[in-house]
Amino acid sequence: MTAIIEPLGMSEQAAAAAGPPDGKRQRRFRQTMLDMYRTPLPTAADIARLERDVGPLPAAYAAFLMRTNGGTPRPATIVTRDNERVVNVFFPLNHPPSFTQGLQAVRDLYAARVPAHMLPIASAGGGDLLLLGLAGAQPGAIHYWDHDLECDDDDAADYVDNVECVAPSIDALLTLLCETE
């Protein structure tokens, strides 16, 4: 079974069903979620802009972005070597300015903390990430990055002791996601 990727954000129908927001913070959050839901899927030009920053993307991942723009997987559990892990959300490439968890923003945030040849593509809960191999021995492979075991140095560009390969590609990962028991 292949996981379904639910769109990020909130539809007008879901917003109406949720009732009126309480306070300014909830109104801003709701507006961000409505804007995210309306955000167009990435185009080939959007992918090309990202590739200018990070280098060539594996074709399967570029297609995944153009098909989904990130989102929430259902089911959402990946079994790693040591544990069952939840994949919270795949980061979007296109997003409204008020949405702070976009692919490039997360990449910038973790630039000195993850291996240089890998791109953060998903939140895996508890501060952990899924990384996409861009170069090296496993381009296109999906890796689980455990923040509890990260490098103490200021620059982790070559540190991979906290990284575990969990799938050979994004498509393979989507078939490995399962329900928790």
Side-chain angles (χ1 to χ4, degrees):
M1 179 176 103
T2 299
I4 295 168
I5 306 299
E6 296 177 357
L8 293 173
M10 177 187 291
S11 69
E12 295 283 347
Q13 183 179 11
D22 293 331
K24 188 176 183 178
R25 175 179 277 165
Q26 281 190 1
R27 280 192 300 279
R28 279 196 315 256
F29 176 76
R30 180 172 293 186
Q31 189 59 54
T32 296
M33 293 297 99
L34 288 166
D35 292 346
M36 185 66 227
Y37 191 81
R38 295 182 199 116
T39 299
L41 293 173
T43 64
D46 296 322
I47 298 295
R49 274 191 294 281
L50 176 61
E51 289 180 323
R52 282 194 292 275
D53 289 342
V54 303
L57 293 175
Y61 182 67
F64 170 80
L65 281 176
M66 292 173 69
R67 188 174 65 247
T68 66
N69 192 34
T72 306
R74 298 288 181 253
T77 302
I78 182 76
V79 178
T80 65
R81 178 177 49 233
D82 299 323
N83 213 333
E84 288 183 350
R85 313 284 185 153
V86 174
V87 179
N88 293 330
V89 64
F90 288 97
F91 304 124
L93 177 56
N94 291 348
H95 57 86
S98 56
F99 190 87
T100 59
Q101 293 293 304
L103 194 59
Q104 291 170 306
V106 173
R107 175 183 163 258
D108 293 345
L109 179 66
Y110 286 92
R113 296 174 61 190
V114 302
H117 63 285
M118 295 184 184
L119 176 68
I121 62 166
S123 165
D128 296 345
L129 299 168
L130 290 183
L131 307 175
L132 173 69
L134 295 174
Q138 297 175 307
I142 307 300
H143 304 266
Y144 188 89
W145 179 82
D146 188 332
H147 86 284
D148 286 330
L149 303 175
E150 72 181 289
C151 181
D152 291 332
D153 296 340
D154 289 339
D155 185 1
D158 297 320
Y159 186 78
V160 294
D161 289 352
N162 65 330
V163 175
E164 173 189 353
C165 184
V166 294
S169 68
I170 187 72
D171 294 334
L173 175 73
L174 296 178
T175 64
L176 294 172
L177 292 173
C178 59
E179 297 289 342
T180 57
E181 296 190 19

